[in-house]
Amino acid sequence: MSKNIVSTTKRKRKANRSKKVGLPAGSLVYFGNKEKPLNIEVFAYNEHSCEVKKVSSAEEALKFIIDSRITWVNVNGLNNIEEVKKLGAYTHLDNLFLEDVLDTEHRPKVEILDEHILVIIKMLYYGKDKQLISEHLALLLGKNYLITFQESEDEDVFDPVRKRLQNADSSLRKRPADYLLFGLLDAIVDNYFVILDKVSDKIETIEDDIIIHPREDMISEIQLLRKSAIFLQKSITPSREVVNKIEKTPHHLIDTDTKHYFRDLHDHTVQIVETLSTYRDILWGLTDTYMGAMSNKMNNIMRLLTLISTIFIPLTFIVGVYGMNFKYMPELEVWWAYPLVWLVMIGISVAMIFYFKRKKWL
């Protein structure tokens, strides 16, 4: 994950909080920053057929909802508040819940209503530019339909579900709308694993670099990765509660058979949350590992410099003695004195290096 997603999220959160100040409960205001034209994608299907349409208004989309088939209405563009209101009116969804749909900073949750189940969750994926994207997503399950509210249509993680719906042999085509809800949530959770794999690769790379060649700028990389892990934990951890509540709460919209799938999905979310906690612990430990590696590197440098200085101490003494300006120094008049001094100094140096190697100091 790059620095941009963390800093952008912070700026976005501050801007959204300022918008909320002074507004009464149930005020329908889009709190995101993705201003997109409305685009509604409709999948109307049953076991025998699947109709796929793109429409530009809520009225057109709602015409596809009939008893003889399941309809998935995927709304792209939450800034079109009037169209969201129309969908809310059709489903008799209270403005308090519509406010949660439009609030892109809302914590993931699930609301079990009499005739609907509303799920708020974070969809995370890597975009075309390899940057991590965090998108607010709301899913509203009805008797024979599912309405999803996305901030943007540019990218998402639902392409495998779209392909399955257009496959006549797919189990999605043969099951009620609750199984479609499971399929979409499963696609989101599966993509969490992709994000975790990327984080794991970065942690392993930094670990190897610390051991092999620690650098001063690594501490900032570790700090950035730690912030990213905290961001992921805040975004992903509530999904465990969401799936668990759907699986545990009796409701006529969720078949008993489908609950088994939600139970398996809950196991996946538990695994993801535990993995994230492990990564956070590893990242905290990486700081200590880095400091230890840098200290060890500094110790090695100081040891080498100390050994070099130690080797030069006797050589400096000899050179100092023969650098004195006394007239009557016996060796000054002997022709072999100069090469003898060199041989003595080289011998001392070789002997000290050999001794240091035997002691494994060098």
Side-chain angles (χ1 to χ4, degrees), residues 114-311:
D114 292 339
E115 299 300 325
H116 297 92
I117 295 177
L118 174 65
V119 178
I120 306 290
I121 200 167
K122 299 299 179 184
M123 180 166 56
L124 303 176
Y125 56 91
Y126 284 100
K128 296 176 181 177
D129 57 356
K130 306 302 181 182
Q131 298 294 323
L132 182 66
I133 297 173
S134 174
E135 187 170 343
H136 175 77
L137 179 70
L139 306 95
L140 182 65
L141 177 66
K143 180 181 178 182
N144 60 332
Y145 60 85
L146 179 67
I147 303 176
T148 54
F149 300 88
Q150 292 183 221
E151 287 187 82
S152 172
E153 65 170 334
D154 296 337
E155 300 169 87
D156 59 27
V157 301
F158 296 145
D159 282 343
V161 178
R162 294 183 179 97
K163 291 177 181 178
R164 289 172 62 191
L165 286 175
Q166 297 178 68
N167 180 3
D169 297 327
S170 171
S171 57
L172 269 174
R173 295 265 293 270
K174 302 172 184 178
R175 293 178 176 270
D178 60 343
Y179 192 75
L180 175 61
L181 173 64
F182 160 76
L184 296 180
L185 293 178
D186 186 52
I188 293 171
V189 172
D190 283 346
N191 217 61
Y192 290 164
F193 282 107
V194 176
I195 307 296
L196 291 185
D197 288 341
K198 296 284 187 181
V199 174
S200 177
D201 291 341
K202 291 181 180 179
I203 291 176
E204 289 179 5
T205 300
I206 291 179
E207 280 181 322
D208 293 341
D209 289 345
I210 288 175
I211 300 301
I212 297 172
H213 183 62
R215 307 183 310 273
E216 291 184 3
D217 62 342
M218 280 185 177
I219 191 66
S220 60
E221 294 179 18
I222 295 172
Q223 183 66 16
L224 177 60
L225 197 55
R226 186 188 299 162
K227 289 181 179 179
S228 301
I230 293 172
F231 168 79
L232 289 175
Q233 195 162 29
K234 287 182 178 179
S235 300
I236 294 176
T237 300
S239 64
R240 176 180 57 183
E241 305 167 17
V242 168
V243 178
N244 184 55
K245 188 172 181 179
I246 295 174
E247 189 256 319
K248 296 293 185 183
T249 306
H251 198 280
H252 64 89
L253 291 177
I254 306 294
D255 284 354
T256 303
D257 292 340
T258 311
K259 282 186 177 292
H260 298 309
Y261 294 98
F262 279 108
R263 187 175 301 115
D264 180 67
L265 186 61
H266 177 253
D267 291 340
H268 291 172
T269 59
V270 170
Q271 179 183 348
I272 290 171
V273 172
E274 290 177 350
T275 303
L276 272 173
S277 298
T278 302
Y279 287 170
R280 284 192 64 183
D281 293 339
I282 292 173
L283 287 169
W284 278 108
L286 274 183
T287 303
D288 296 334
T289 303
Y290 167 79
M291 298 304 295
M294 291 299 291
S295 177
N296 185 59
K297 183 179 180 181
M298 182 61 68
N299 288 340
N300 288 336
I301 294 172
M302 293 303 298
R303 181 176 64 177
L304 180 61
L305 294 176
T306 302
L307 294 177
I308 292 173
S309 301
T310 304
I311 292 171

